[in-house]
Amino acid sequence: MAPLLEIEMFNSVPNLAEVTLEPSNYSLQTNEILSVQTVEHITLKPNTAIKGLLVLYILVTGCFVFRFLKNLRHILKLTKQHSGLIEDLKLVPIDGQDEAFSFFNYLFVDTESLEDAIYKSSVVKHEMAHWKQLHTLDVLYTEIILCFFWFNPFVWLYKKAIIQNHEYLADRSVVESGIDTLNYSQAIIHFNSALKGHPFASGFNFNQTKNRLHMLHQSKSSIANRTVKIALALVLSTGVFVFSSFTERKDQLVVVVDAGHGGHDLGTLMEKDVVLKISQLLASKSNSKVKIIETRNSDEFLTLGERAQFINEQQPDLVISLHCNAASDPSKNGVGVIFDRNSKYAEASHKYGKTLLEHQLGALFDKGDIQTGSMVILKNINCPGVLFELGFLSNEGDKAMLLDSDNQEHIAASLYEGLLEIRDEK
């Protein structure tokens, strides 16, 4: 637990015999009793909106998965009805189905429509192209993606583009095989139908008829046209790069993390070791966005004066003094922050402390207090600062949590996320 009141000699060390467990009764070399006031009680509120959206997502995703499995079962059942081969394609007769389509090397078509020689030749070569280029795998992949990302409009656009590109590729393969372009175009127009094939299939009568015909009769781009397109792409990408270079960037947030106690000053139980470990984990996340400086990175004793002097030399934007709490009532638990109500940085300290506290609530804690008090370390720094109580070592649940290495990493990560939010809001 942190020294919670001003003392007569700034750099003196508390006598453990004079320390009680309750933070409101913590005394050092004087008999002065520190008054800590709770100004805000934070509890983890269940986010009903998020839960509602999660339930909606699960329901809709379940419907899409059910649809996917149903369609897959249906088309696999149809493949068992194949009767004969047309080149390398297994023929599956579908009476009354105007639209021919394929699934891997299975061709689904109304056998009566194959009596037209031009149509038969066009369909077979078209669906052979789908089979050889494994377009069915692309369709299955996009359907699976759609099951889980149905809410993303770009997935639907991606699916449409994939299908359209498949048809262009198949059409080009047919024309390159020697079939007359005009006859093939007429076959597309004549047999185009409003009916849709199976969702997993690649179809001959693709509904984007106008686009397909345009692509069939379009001449290849000249070298000049390609050069112009490449030049425009380069200009555009350069413009984007230049624009991004002038984008306003936020300054780095400089934070000093003060791991309380150390050396012969044990704190409460194993407090000095717990706060040091979390301080080290937090400091390891220091980067260009948040620069984290430690007052101590080993088991050493620093007086309050030495800590304050070091902090002020760094000229930080924020100070976080890490401590663990304790109480005579073993049922007390939870996290908390304390700021100096008399400091000129009180408003910023309160705001930052609340942000850090809110990020701690969730996986490990469900409540926390924001308190005010007159702390030596907070009174002598020239920037906003908070004393962060990580939990109660006098509570078995909090103690077990604080001693667990995975939980220590989670606490450090949550503190860092809070610092990122503070930086973004500065």
Side-chain angles (χ1 to χ4, degrees):
M1 179 165 217
L4 297 183
L5 43 88
E6 266 190 282
I7 53 179
E8 296 173 354
M9 296 183 64
F10 184 73
N11 294 333
S12 61
V13 181
N15 185 337
L16 295 179
E18 297 174 328
V19 178
T20 63
L21 287 176
E22 290 286 356
S24 59
N25 295 322
Y26 192 93
S27 59
L28 298 181
Q29 290 187 350
T30 69
N31 294 322
E32 181 182 357
I33 302 300
L34 174 67
S35 176
V36 176
Q37 297 178 349
T38 299
V39 297
E40 194 170 354
H41 184 67
I42 308 292
T43 57
L44 182 64
K45 298 179 181 179
N47 196 323
T48 55
I50 291 180
K51 288 185 177 180
L53 290 175
L54 180 60
V55 171
L56 177 63
Y57 172 78
I58 293 173
L59 289 175
V60 176
T61 300
C63 291
F64 272 90
V65 172
F66 175 77
R67 168 183 169 271
F68 174 84
L69 295 176
K70 180 183 177 182
N71 289 333
L72 183 61
R73 179 178 178 273
H74 178 251
I75 200 168
L76 290 176
K77 185 178 180 180
L78 290 177
T79 59
K80 297 178 181 179
Q81 302 174 10
H82 73 274
S83 58
L85 291 172
I86 300 181
E87 295 189 20
D88 291 335
L89 297 174
K90 297 179 181 180
L91 179 62
V92 181
I94 304 293
D95 295 334
Q97 174 68 46
D98 293 337
E99 185 174 359
F101 58 91
S102 62
F103 180 77
F104 288 107
N105 62 332
Y106 289 91
L107 172 61
F108 302 81
V109 66
D110 187 345
T111 52
E112 291 184 3
S113 65
L114 296 179
E115 295 176 2
D116 186 299
I118 296 178
Y119 178 74
K120 178 179 179 180
S121 177
S122 300
V123 163
V124 171
K125 291 185 180 297
H126 185 92
E127 301 306 331
M128 278 290 293
H130 283 312
W131 155 235
K132 290 182 178 180
Q133 296 177 28
L134 299 177
H135 290 168
T136 302
L137 289 178
D138 291 338
V139 173
L140 288 174
Y141 170 75
T142 54
E143 287 291 333
I144 292 174
I145 294 296
L146 196 61
C147 286
F148 297 97
F149 297 96
W150 49 265
F151 54 87
N152 189 335
F154 291 103
V155 175
W156 293 92
L157 294 174
Y158 176 75
K159 176 185 176 181
K160 181 180 179 181
I162 284 288
I163 295 174
Q164 190 175 54
N165 190 54
H166 285 173
E167 298 307 312
Y168 294 157
L169 292 173
D171 289 340
R172 186 175 67 181
S173 179
V174 172
V175 172
E176 290 177 351
S177 70
I179 289 183
D180 181 70
T181 302
L182 182 59
N183 290 337
Y184 183 62
S185 300
Q186 291 175 344
I188 292 176
I189 296 172
H190 180 69
F191 289 98
N192 186 65
S193 170
L195 294 174
K196 294 183 178 179
H198 198 280
F200 293 165
S202 301
F204 174 70
N205 298 325
F206 183 66
N207 59 0
Q208 297 288 340
T209 306
K210 181 179 178 180
N211 292 338
R212 290 175 65 187
L213 294 176
H214 176 73
M215 291 293 292
L216 280 173
H217 294 276
Q218 179 177 271
S219 60
K220 294 183 178 180
S221 299
S222 64
I223 295 177
N225 288 338
R226 291 182 180 180
T227 302
V228 171
K229 290 179 181 179
I230 293 173
L232 288 174
L234 289 174
V235 171
L236 180 61
S237 60
T238 302
V240 171
F241 175 77
V242 172
F243 178 78
S244 63
S245 298
F246 287 97
T247 302
E248 181 181 357
R249 296 183 178 180
K250 288 184 173 294
D251 293 334
Q252 185 183 45
L253 182 72
V254 180
V255 180
V256 173
V257 179
D258 176 34
H261 309 286
H264 62 268
D265 181 5
L266 305 179
T268 301
L269 302 175
M270 64 290 296
E271 179 181 3
K272 69 168 186 174
D273 298 321
V274 172
V275 296
L276 176 61
K277 180 61 178 178
I278 294 175
S279 174
Q280 291 170 338
L281 290 171
L282 183 55
S284 68
K285 303 181 186 300
S286 181
N287 55 30
S288 59
K289 294 182 179 180
V290 180
K291 181 180 180 181
I292 300 174
I293 305 169
E294 297 176 277
T295 55
R296 68 180 183 98
N297 56 16
S298 62
D299 185 16
E300 61 177 318
F301 173 76
L302 296 173
T303 66
L304 295 177
E306 290 171 337
R307 293 173 192 265
Q309 180 180 353
F310 175 82
I311 290 170
N312 291 330
E313 288 173 354
Q314 310 309 312
Q315 298 182 336
D317 299 300
L318 174 64
V319 173
I320 305 174
S321 184
L322 296 179
H323 291 268
C324 296
N325 215 332
S328 57
D329 181 358
S331 66
K332 283 192 173 183
N333 67 332
V335 289
V337 294
I338 303 174
F339 69 96
D340 188 351
R341 60 182 174 269
N342 297 318
S343 168
K344 65 178 181 178
Y345 305 104
E347 183 177 351
S349 299
H350 184 188
K351 178 182 176 182
Y352 297 161
K354 183 175 181 179
T355 299
L356 294 171
L357 186 60
E358 288 175 340
H359 276 271
Q360 287 298 312
L361 302 184
L364 302 179
F365 301 98
D366 59 3
K367 64 179 181 179
D369 290 327
I370 300 178
Q371 298 176 313
T372 63
S374 183
M375 317 297 161
V376 175
I377 192 67
L378 299 182
K379 286 177 68 67
N380 290 277
I381 57 176
N382 302 323
C383 65
V386 295
L387 187 146
F388 202 104
E389 298 282 11
L390 298 168
F392 282 75
L393 288 174
S394 54
N395 177 273
E396 290 301 321
D398 281 9
K399 179 181 177 181
M401 180 274 299
L402 288 169
L403 295 180
D404 182 83
S405 59
D406 291 337
N407 290 333
Q408 290 173 349
E409 172 60 37
H410 179 82
I411 292 171
S414 298
L415 285 171
Y416 177 75
E417 290 170 4
L419 292 175
L420 285 179
E421 182 177 334
I422 291 171
R423 173 182 178 269
D424 292 339
E425 294 180 351
K426 273 181 64 68

